[in-house]
Amino acid sequence: MHVFIVGGSDAGIAAALRIKELEPAIEVTVALADRFPNYSICGLPFYISGETSDWHQLAHRTEFGDIRILHDEPVTAVDVDRRVATTRRPDGAETLVPYDKLILATGAVPRLPDFLTVNAPNVFALHSMEDAFRVHAAVSSQDGLRAVIVGGGYIGLEMADALTRRGLAVTLLAKTTTLMPTVDPEFGVVVERELAQHGVAVRTQATVIGLEKISGLSRVVEESGERHDGDLIVAATGVRPQATLAAAAGVELGIDGAIRVTRRMATNRASVFAAGDCVETWHRLLERGLYMPLGTTAHKQGRIAGENAIGGNREFGGSLGTQVVKVFDLAIGRTGLRESEAVQYGFNPLTTDTEAPDHKPYYPGARPLRIRITADRRTGELLGAQILGDWQAEISKRLDVLATGLFHRMTVDALLDLDLSYTPPFSTPWDPIHLAAQDWLRTSRRQLRRGSTPTT
Amino acid sequence: MHVFIVGGSDAGIAAALRIKELEPAIEVTVALADRFPNYSICGLPFYISGETSDWHQLAHRTEFGDIRILHDEPVTAVDVDRRVATTRRPDGAETLVPYDKLILATGAVPRLPDFLTVNAPNVFALHSMEDAFRVHAAVSSQDGLRAVIVGGGYIGLEMADALTRRGLAVTLLAKTTTLMPTVDPEFGVVVERELAQHGVAVRTQATVIGLEKISGLSRVVEESGERHDGDLIVAATGVRPQATLAAAAGVELGIDGAIRVTRRMATNRASVFAAGDCVETWHRLLERGLYMPLGTTAHKQGRIAGENAIGGNREFGGSLGTQVVKVFDLAIGRTGLRESEAVQYGFNPLTTDTEAPDHKPYYPGARPLRIRITADRRTGELLGAQILGDWQAEISKRLDVLATGLFHRMTVDALLDLDLSYTPPFSTPWDPIHLAAQDWLRTSRRQLRRGSTPTT
């Protein structure tokens, strides 16, 4: 059997590795559009910042056993009926590759505003290794540079951090009211403060409408008329699924143009599976597909696509959109639904915001953290959680306790029963998670007693 | 209604607070044998070490609202039929206190070998604030002191750390083959190495049989004949439930002499509840009572005893024995059953040991951690987990993800579906938890294929 995988980033390589783990005799080919198999795209900001000195370190792995890797060999067409893929070799020649099973792991591409084009010499995206090399070279070219970042999501935030570390004067423009729209505005303003404290000029509700070229630099124009000069313009305006190959092959697309897949990662076409940033992702809580490209999800989906392509029958457990970002000295994470999403999907949410020290204050180094708990007023069911605090306050894995609770659809009340670890340097006898749950329950009871349902 | 609570440490105060939270009008009295309500006993080693400079900081709280606190007023008897307790006031007078509901939160007392008595001038336990003051005074009395710690459990380890920080020459004697018998020997030896690297002389399999007095110091005598001189002898040989009052009142005792309670924290006597280090604790996985005194459990049980004493009907969710300790630069934690316990309780466990970096090595500061997964070979059900690593590698809350999985009786295979947070500074796309689960599954499959069931 020959499994042909289009794309060699997280999902594609995870699929290939899983197949080889289960059935070493199966022939596996991975076709890459570039020459960087399984690089950590999430690591690009740290390469730019200099925290990661050598880009080679970004490779998740460099050994692929007997998986056949085709470098710089994009797949230009697939004939699903005849099970043949067409690739374009580095020398330009087209090759036909017959296969038994196909896995599409074509990833995503930057979603840029019309007037921003990464072909312009000083406009940059940050999605591929080549992007990273371009930014790195530009940043290293001279001192005193100014950067304008368009986009207030986590990539924009990480780039603001990275470019500030490299000594650039950074302006960040976000179209949203607060930064990091994946968390509630109450946390977004803290992130904004963190950026400001490190010298980043932040503008929110900034709708960028154009780009002017002025002798070697670019000027970003806001709808308001405000203009921002930059030697570098970094577009961190999100991504969209790379699904043109799939569409041309007759594979059905769904939300946001992502490939429609079952929880088995099967497409509508026989013998064609898909995984990663190019597919719809099953949301565990909402029990429906959404477009939520995340590296963690890509690895999981790729592994399942690989297993099922060779006859397995595993279902993807679903995503909760669990995510964490480090911005300067702050860690911010979220899992499940934020308040406005919970409303949007028909829940009746109550969200509380609890501050607690990360560990007993009598032990040195205690720092306050904040936990937001979103749960349904009627059922008490946990819908989502957000945590924010010092980056060394175990924010990420504390969030994961809540993500694990959410995975099991726990109520807020049941969180109190969790037997979590405690020693004064690491926690409090009731962990901040417990304290946040108690806070939610108290607030909920108080509001019930008053017969009102205001939002906090 | 009047609720009378015997004991003002974690369980007693948690009960009192819960009652006042639910029904502020109910009268609540807490009788203390000393004058330190709700102090953090877990913090004593850090007060000794100097990391916590002022003992007053150890108070979990100092405000108790209208909860009536009786200081230095031990309860000498309870007439459960007539609902009257007898206390001995600081002036020696006995008082009769009528009550409607009684909560016993009498805690534990050190379990000392016969020849060790804390009345001896240079022998110390570390269980109460008074103990801590004695040790603190002794340690501060002069330079160049030698300490001998008897006991290799977590208090012994924390004291070895604390006394070393204070400049003492420390010898630690443990009767077990490896230190910290709550984790597998493979981790115990790492703890031993950590102590040795910081200058602690460690002797395992050391059965202490006596104590000799020699002009101002004590000499601890091992069965082997080996002798260890110490200016301070610290007994960290565990605790036993303080249940004499309960027994005298006709309250049934169970395992290890602990008060037998239902999951509602009710005893066999009407209107008498009990919680904390004096009771049997329901083990969530084993579904039976065990004696497992832990502060986190005491808080939870106290809260439930308070709620149920005034008419509530909440059940204790059960303990998994989740525990973490910091020893010098190392954090070690465990939840659920270790390998030998799993065997003891009739499971057919397989334990694997996985090393992984705590976060992507291309981001500075990555450190290896080790995860041991114990699960049943037949069912794949997770039975326990242990983690060890640098104290800043989010060991404690990573352990709690596994504790939360164990709470829900997950299989190892299902752990792979958990949507955990990732960014290069905090984790890897597959968190070390996922990697440990994959390792367990691979090992299990390999052994199944070979038809053998060796232990690792």
Side-chain angles (χ1 to χ4, degrees):
Chain A
M1 194 200 287
H2 177 219
V3 181
F4 185 67
I5 301 172
V6 188
S9 192
D10 294 344
I13 296 294
L17 291 170
R18 182 61 174 158
I19 294 167
K20 283 293 178 183
E21 182 182 19
L22 293 173
E23 298 288 350
I26 288 180
E27 189 192 348
V28 179
T29 306
V30 179
L32 268 76
D34 62 18
R35 58 206 159 78
F36 304 105
N38 208 206
Y39 269 67
S40 175
I41 298 306
C42 303
L44 299 185
F46 308 105
Y47 167 58
I48 305 295
S49 75
E51 290 159 292
T52 301
S53 53
D54 178 358
W55 63 265
H56 292 93
Q57 297 174 270
L58 295 177
H60 282 311
R61 64 178 53 68
T62 51
E63 287 298 324
F64 299 93
D66 65 346
I67 297 167
R68 191 168 151 237
I69 307 268
L70 309 178
H71 293 94
D72 278 325
E73 191 161 338
V75 177
T76 54
V78 176
D79 184 334
V80 168
D81 295 321
R82 298 171 60 205
R83 301 196 188 179
V84 177
T86 308
T87 71
R88 191 176 60 241
R89 289 208 308 233
D91 62 8
E94 296 223 314
T95 324
L96 297 180
V97 185
Y99 65 80
D100 298 293
K101 304 286 176 178
L102 180 73
I103 299 175
L104 298 169
T106 43
V109 286
R111 194 181 54 203
L112 296 176
D114 289 340
F115 55 86
L116 276 186
T117 160
V118 289
N119 293 325
N122 59 349
V123 176
F124 303 88
L126 198 74
H127 189 71
S128 66
M129 289 306 295
E130 294 293 355
D131 291 339
F133 296 142
R134 286 186 66 224
V135 179
H136 198 274
V139 167
S140 311
S141 63
Q142 62 177 99
D143 289 341
L145 293 173
R146 290 158 302 171
V148 179
I149 298 170
V150 182
Y154 72 97
I155 303 283
L157 299 173
E158 288 178 335
M159 283 306 291
D161 178 329
L163 295 177
T164 302
R165 272 176 215 271
R166 289 297 300 272
L168 279 77
V170 177
T171 299
L172 185 140
L173 308 176
K175 68 179 176 196
T176 45
T177 313
T178 50
L179 297 183
M180 207 179 161
T182 45
V183 297
D184 288 337
E186 290 82 351
F187 276 12
V189 297
V190 180
V191 175
E192 185 173 338
R193 200 160 58 226
E194 183 75 7
L195 289 181
Q197 278 169 358
H198 287 83
V200 178
V202 177
R203 284 185 55 85
T204 54
Q205 294 181 283
T207 304
V208 174
I209 55 164
L211 191 72
E212 298 170 354
K213 294 259 147 209
I214 301 153
S215 61
L217 59 81
S218 284
R219 179 166 287 173
V220 177
V221 184
E222 283 188 49
E223 198 176 41
S224 67
E226 197 92 19
R227 282 162 161 75
H228 308 279
D229 291 351
D231 303 290
L232 288 78
I233 313 298
V234 178
T237 44
V239 296
R240 57 179 175 74
Q242 171 65 283
T244 44
L245 180 71
V251 171
E252 186 188 354
L253 306 187
I255 288 174
D256 293 341
I259 298 170
R260 179 149 286 168
V261 286
T262 66
R263 290 180 64 187
R264 293 184 65 250
M265 309 315 297
T267 69
N268 66 316
R269 301 301 304 263
S271 303
V272 181
F273 295 79
D277 288 0
C278 58
V279 307
E280 281 186 2
T281 288
W282 181 255
H283 194 288
R284 186 172 177 89
L285 202 60
L286 299 174
E287 297 181 336
R288 51 168 287 184
L290 289 177
Y291 186 58
M292 309 189 276
L294 282 170
T296 47
T297 306
H299 277 91
K300 289 187 184 71
Q301 292 177 334
R303 189 173 188 273
I304 291 167
E307 181 163 341
N308 292 344
I310 60 168
N313 192 24
R314 190 179 180 106
E315 285 203 334
F316 175 56
S319 167
L320 295 163
T322 310
Q323 198 185 351
V324 68
V325 63
K326 177 180 178 294
V327 185
F328 295 108
D329 300 324
L330 206 61
I332 317 102
R334 72 70 104 16
T335 184
L337 309 177
R338 48 169 285 200
E339 170 87 12
S340 63
E341 291 166 331
V343 171
Q344 176 190 339
Y345 288 107
F347 295 97
N348 183 7
L350 166 69
T351 299
T352 50
D353 196 323
T354 303
E355 184 168 310
D358 70 318
H359 64 255
K360 285 302 296 183
Y362 61 70
Y363 187 85
R367 291 146 297 201
L369 51 80
R370 280 170 66 184
I371 302 185
R372 290 178 70 82
I373 296 278
T374 299
D376 193 87
R377 290 170 200 273
R378 282 169 300 228
T379 62
E381 194 189 344
L382 182 65
L383 300 172
Q386 300 161 50
I387 317 193
L388 173 154
D390 184 276
W391 72 289
Q392 290 179 307
E394 303 203 20
I395 298 293
S396 171
K397 296 304 126 186
R398 203 166 244 131
L399 177 70
D400 288 349
V401 175
L402 287 156
T404 305
L406 206 50
F407 183 92
H408 290 283
R409 309 200 77 139
M410 290 181 83
T411 61
V412 176
D413 186 79
L415 291 175
L416 298 184
D417 290 331
L418 289 177
D419 184 17
L420 306 180
S421 63
Y422 159 61
T423 182
F426 301 142
S427 185
T428 45
W430 292 106
D431 189 84
I433 290 169
H434 292 127
L435 298 176
Q438 289 176 8
D439 224 6
W440 190 93
L441 292 166
R442 264 192 299 271
T443 306
S444 162
R445 203 166 47 235
R446 205 180 306 131
Q447 294 192 357
L448 217 62
R449 210 178 284 145
R450 287 206 305 263
S452 65
T453 56
T455 51
T456 47
Chain B
M1 192 200 287
H2 177 219
V3 181
F4 186 65
I5 300 172
V6 187
S9 192
D10 294 345
I13 297 294
L17 291 170
R18 182 61 174 159
I19 294 168
K20 284 291 178 184
E21 182 182 19
L22 293 173
E23 298 289 350
I26 288 179
E27 189 191 349
V28 179
T29 306
V30 179
L32 267 77
D34 62 18
R35 57 205 160 78
F36 304 105
N38 208 205
Y39 269 67
S40 175
I41 298 306
C42 303
L44 300 185
F46 308 105
Y47 167 57
I48 305 295
S49 75
E51 289 158 293
T52 301
S53 53
D54 179 357
W55 62 266
H56 293 92
Q57 297 174 271
L58 295 177
H60 281 311
R61 63 178 54 68
T62 52
E63 288 299 324
F64 298 93
D66 65 346
I67 297 167
R68 192 167 149 236
I69 308 266
L70 308 178
H71 293 93
D72 278 327
E73 191 162 338
V75 178
T76 54
V78 176
D79 185 334
V80 168
D81 295 322
R82 299 170 59 204
R83 300 197 188 178
V84 177
T86 307
T87 72
R88 191 176 61 239
R89 290 208 308 235
D91 62 8
E94 297 222 311
T95 323
L96 297 179
V97 184
Y99 66 80
D100 299 294
K101 303 287 178 179
L102 181 73
I103 299 175
L104 297 170
T106 43
V109 286
R111 193 181 54 203
L112 297 175
D114 290 339
F115 56 86
L116 275 186
T117 160
V118 287
N119 294 324
N122 60 350
V123 177
F124 304 87
L126 198 75
H127 189 70
S128 66
M129 289 305 296
E130 294 294 354
D131 291 340
F133 296 142
R134 287 186 67 225
V135 178
H136 198 272
V139 167
S140 310
S141 63
Q142 62 177 98
D143 288 341
L145 293 172
R146 290 158 302 171
V148 179
I149 299 170
V150 182
Y154 73 96
I155 304 284
L157 298 174
E158 288 179 334
M159 283 305 292
D161 178 329
L163 296 176
T164 302
R165 272 176 215 271
R166 290 297 299 273
L168 280 76
V170 177
T171 300
L172 186 140
L173 308 177
K175 68 180 175 196
T176 44
T177 313
T178 49
L179 296 183
M180 207 179 160
T182 45
V183 296
D184 288 337
E186 289 82 351
F187 276 12
V189 298
V190 180
V191 175
E192 185 173 338
R193 199 160 60 224
E194 182 75 7
L195 289 180
Q197 277 168 359
H198 287 84
V200 177
V202 177
R203 282 185 57 83
T204 54
Q205 294 182 283
T207 303
V208 174
I209 56 164
L211 191 72
E212 297 171 355
K213 293 261 145 205
I214 299 152
S215 60
L217 59 80
S218 284
R219 179 164 287 172
V220 177
V221 184
E222 283 188 47
E223 198 175 42
S224 66
E226 197 92 21
R227 283 162 161 77
H228 308 279
D229 291 349
D231 303 291
L232 286 80
I233 312 299
V234 178
T237 44
V239 296
R240 57 181 174 75
Q242 170 64 283
T244 46
L245 180 72
V251 172
E252 187 187 354
L253 307 187
I255 287 174
D256 293 342
I259 299 171
R260 178 149 286 166
V261 287
T262 66
R263 289 181 65 185
R264 294 184 64 248
M265 308 316 295
T267 69
N268 66 316
R269 300 300 304 262
S271 304
V272 182
F273 295 79
D277 287 2
C278 58
V279 307
E280 281 185 359
T281 288
W282 182 255
H283 195 287
R284 186 172 177 91
L285 201 60
L286 299 174
E287 298 182 336
R288 51 167 287 184
L290 289 178
Y291 186 57
M292 307 190 277
L294 281 170
T296 46
T297 306
H299 277 91
K300 288 187 184 72
Q301 292 178 334
R303 188 173 188 272
I304 291 166
E307 180 163 340
N308 292 345
I310 60 168
N313 193 24
R314 189 179 180 105
E315 285 202 334
F316 174 57
S319 167
L320 294 163
T322 311
Q323 200 185 350
V324 67
V325 63
K326 175 180 179 294
V327 185
F328 295 108
D329 300 324
L330 205 62
I332 317 102
R334 72 70 113 5
T335 184
L337 309 177
R338 47 169 285 199
E339 169 88 11
S340 64
E341 290 166 333
V343 171
Q344 177 191 338
Y345 289 107
F347 296 97
N348 182 8
L350 166 69
T351 299
T352 50
D353 197 322
T354 304
E355 185 168 307
D358 69 319
H359 64 254
K360 284 305 293 185
Y362 60 71
Y363 187 86
R367 290 146 298 200
L369 51 80
R370 279 170 66 184
I371 302 184
R372 290 177 70 81
I373 297 277
T374 299
D376 193 89
R377 289 171 201 272
R378 281 169 300 228
T379 62
E381 194 189 344
L382 182 65
L383 299 172
Q386 301 161 51
I387 315 192
L388 173 155
D390 184 276
W391 73 288
Q392 290 179 308
E394 303 205 20
I395 298 294
S396 172
K397 298 304 125 186
R398 203 166 245 132
L399 177 70
D400 288 350
V401 175
L402 288 157
T404 304
L406 206 49
F407 183 92
H408 290 284
R409 309 200 76 140
M410 291 180 83
T411 61
V412 177
D413 186 78
L415 291 176
L416 297 184
D417 290 331
L418 289 178
D419 183 16
L420 306 180
S421 63
Y422 159 60
T423 181
F426 302 142
S427 185
T428 44
W430 293 105
D431 188 84
I433 289 170
H434 292 128
L435 297 176
Q438 289 176 7
D439 223 7
W440 190 93
L441 292 166
R442 262 192 300 269
T443 307
S444 162
R445 202 168 46 235
R446 204 179 308 130
Q447 293 193 357
L448 216 64
R449 210 178 286 145
R450 285 206 307 263
S452 66
T453 56
T455 51
T456 46

